[in-house]
Amino acid sequence: QVQLVESGGGSVQTGGSLTLSCAASGLNSKYYSMGWFHQVTGRGREAVATIDSDGTTTYADSVKGRFTISKDNAKNTLYLQMNRLKPEDTAMYYCASAPIRGLTIGTMARGAADWGKGTLVTISS
């Protein structure tokens, strides 16, 4: 059984940084696609960044150049380094995994099989 537990959310000012972590159990991240989504109240979840089993990454246009997704296969942990944060980045952030290689920003949502419970990120102006 796959379990994903996010941590690292919080409140920061515009321009600040946060690093989210997602501890995964019940899977081997070497063989999964994984990703981060965010959800603003009243809107659906949107893919923010994905990382394939071979380390290939994809990003939403809104975060390119500011966010970096990475993973530590030995620790089965996924990360999202978020820099130059903006008020519009305020959202719940969710970690997702899929036992399918090669998923990207455009396909991760359809392929995701497991989700964490989320961590809240709040950016003040």
Side-chain angles (χ1 to χ4, degrees), residues 8 11 14 22-23 27-28 37 50 53 59 62 66 73 75 89 102 104 106 109:
S11 298
T14 297
C22 172
L27 63 81
N28 188 330
F37 289 71
T50 67
S53 55
Y59 296 91
S62 60
R66 300 189 298 121
N73 287 334
K75 295 181 179 179
D89 296 319
T104 66

Side-chain angles (χ1 to χ4, degrees), residues 36-38 45-50 59-60 104-106 108-109:
W36 288 97
F37 289 71
H38 69 195
R45 291 183 186 179
E46 299 176 341
V48 172
T50 67
Y59 296 91
T104 66
I105 280 292
M108 185 70 195

